[in-house]
Amino acid sequence: MDLGIRGRTALVCAASKGLGRGCATSLAREGVNLVITARGTEALEATAVELKKFGVSVKTVAGDITTADGREAALKACPSPDILVNNAGGPPPGDWREWDRETWIKALDANMLTPILLMRAVVDAMVARKFGRVVNITSGAVKAPIPELGLSNGARTGLTGFVAGLSRKTVRHNVTINSLLPGPFETDRLRSNLVFNAKAAGKTVEELRKIRSEANPAGRFGTVEEFGDACAYLCSAQAGYITGQNLLLDGGSYPGTF
Ligand code: NAP
């Protein structure tokens, strides 16, 4: 299926590794020109080399997307994207009693306010051009909270509520805004969560990995390629009637009927 987005431009945030990189890769395969960001330059440049193999233009912006400077640099390199993929690292796990105001503000900045501010910067121009696709990478925690990730549960649900309203205003102009909710995907983030939880459970990381992956109805963790392809579809020309949705990619582990 040709997704009809060849020659479009995407800003993919936090894309040197993991899910963001998966999204950038699937978009590159569809012929989308890219601006990708991350804080560290080494993995970012290495990812750019791989993405360029698809014959698209790839610009890199090193910076923290959760800061004003990081967003300004990303938008300077890509002031008017057709596609925006919002992503950033997730907040750390922990005990809610230990999170002070500063900790909360950091989580809200990263996982709620940064995507909202980036949308504010680019959505009006998408509306004027009558094409735009925004995909927010949030978390399965939006649908089923993860106790030790209270900062994530709170901040991402705030973003989800905001997007639910905005996405109904923009779709008339062929600008859709949706979120992808990852369950467990095989990335560095998952590996660091496994380390935290293995310690708490008195198990080795490998023991916990086996237990968790076998407990998933799919019998495994997801792959970044699967995640990236779902993102590319939501960014496709064909997906113009899908907006305000929260697509859970979790191998079926959420137990509800819908
Ligand atoms: P990952 O493998 O650790 O990759 C994170 C990527 O984001 C890296 O490229 C990292 O590069 C970049 N990054 C992190 N913070 C950034 C920042 N402030 N500014 C710019 N770039 C930044 O993580 P992941 O598993 O792909 O997770 C992506 C998001 O999905 C996270 O918010 C995570 O909480 C969420 N999530 C993941 C899973 C999962 O199973 N993997 C499940 C639920 C939710 P630098 O470090 O160089 O900046």
Side-chain angles (χ1 to χ4, degrees):
M1 182 172 179
D2 179 349
L3 298 186
I5 46 177
R6 185 164 298 281
R8 298 273 185 197
T9 298
L11 171 57
V12 186
C13 304
S16 67
K17 296 179 190 167
L19 304 179
R21 178 177 165 147
C23 295
T25 304
S26 294
L27 289 170
R29 199 194 54 222
E30 293 302 317
V32 174
N33 297 314
L34 293 162
V35 176
I36 58 169
T37 87
R39 292 164 304 181
T41 50
E42 200 179 320
L44 186 63
E45 296 308 327
T47 296
V49 168
E50 290 305 308
L51 295 173
K52 282 178 188 164
K53 292 181 183 166
F54 291 99
V56 296
S57 121
V58 183
K59 281 190 217 166
T60 57
V61 181
D64 184 340
I65 200 70
T66 70
T67 65
D69 285 353
R71 289 188 292 275
E72 194 184 318
L75 290 166
K76 197 169 166 208
C78 193
S80 215
D82 302 302
I83 294 166
L84 168 65
V85 179
N86 277 316
N87 186 32
D95 183 331
W96 68 277
R97 292 172 193 84
E98 285 161 16
W99 299 330
D100 58 12
R101 187 169 193 281
E102 280 308 296
T103 311
W104 271 107
I105 295 295
K106 211 171 162 201
L108 292 172
D109 264 341
N111 297 117
M112 179 181 174
L113 298 176
T114 289
I116 291 173
L117 292 170
L118 289 172
M119 283 187 263
R120 186 179 71 161
V122 304
V123 162
D124 282 346
M126 291 176 172
V127 165
R129 291 196 306 275
K130 299 281 178 214
F131 181 89
R133 300 285 183 261
V134 179
V135 174
N136 301 302
I137 299 180
T138 64
S139 171
V142 168
K143 213 164 150 83
I146 302 167
E148 69 277 14
L149 290 176
L151 293 166
S152 171
N153 300 338
R156 296 185 198 278
T157 306
L159 172 65
T160 305
F162 171 75
V163 161
L166 179 64
S167 58
R168 268 84 183 178
K169 285 179 182 254
T170 60
V171 64
R172 183 172 292 263
H173 307 284
N174 193 22
V175 177
T176 67
I177 310 177
N178 294 288
S179 297
L180 288 175
L181 281 54
F185 278 81
E186 194 60 72
T187 67
D188 287 358
R189 163 82 176 175
L190 179 128
R191 286 184 274 278
S192 63
N193 282 346
L194 278 178
V195 170
F196 175 88
N197 286 311
K199 206 171 157 195
K203 297 192 184 311
T204 68
V205 173
E206 276 322 304
E207 278 167 349
L208 191 64
R209 168 187 295 282
K210 194 164 183 289
I211 293 166
R212 292 259 170 111
S213 56
E214 281 177 4
N216 187 288
R220 62 178 177 86
F221 297 142
T223 69
V224 296
E225 290 78 15
E226 290 170 317
F227 192 88
D229 284 355
C231 176
Y233 179 72
L234 286 179
C235 296
S236 72
Q238 293 88 341
Y241 206 55
I242 303 174
T243 202
Q245 299 305 301
N246 291 285
L247 179 62
L248 186 61
L249 286 86
D250 69 349
S253 58
Y254 178 76
T257 304
F258 55 84

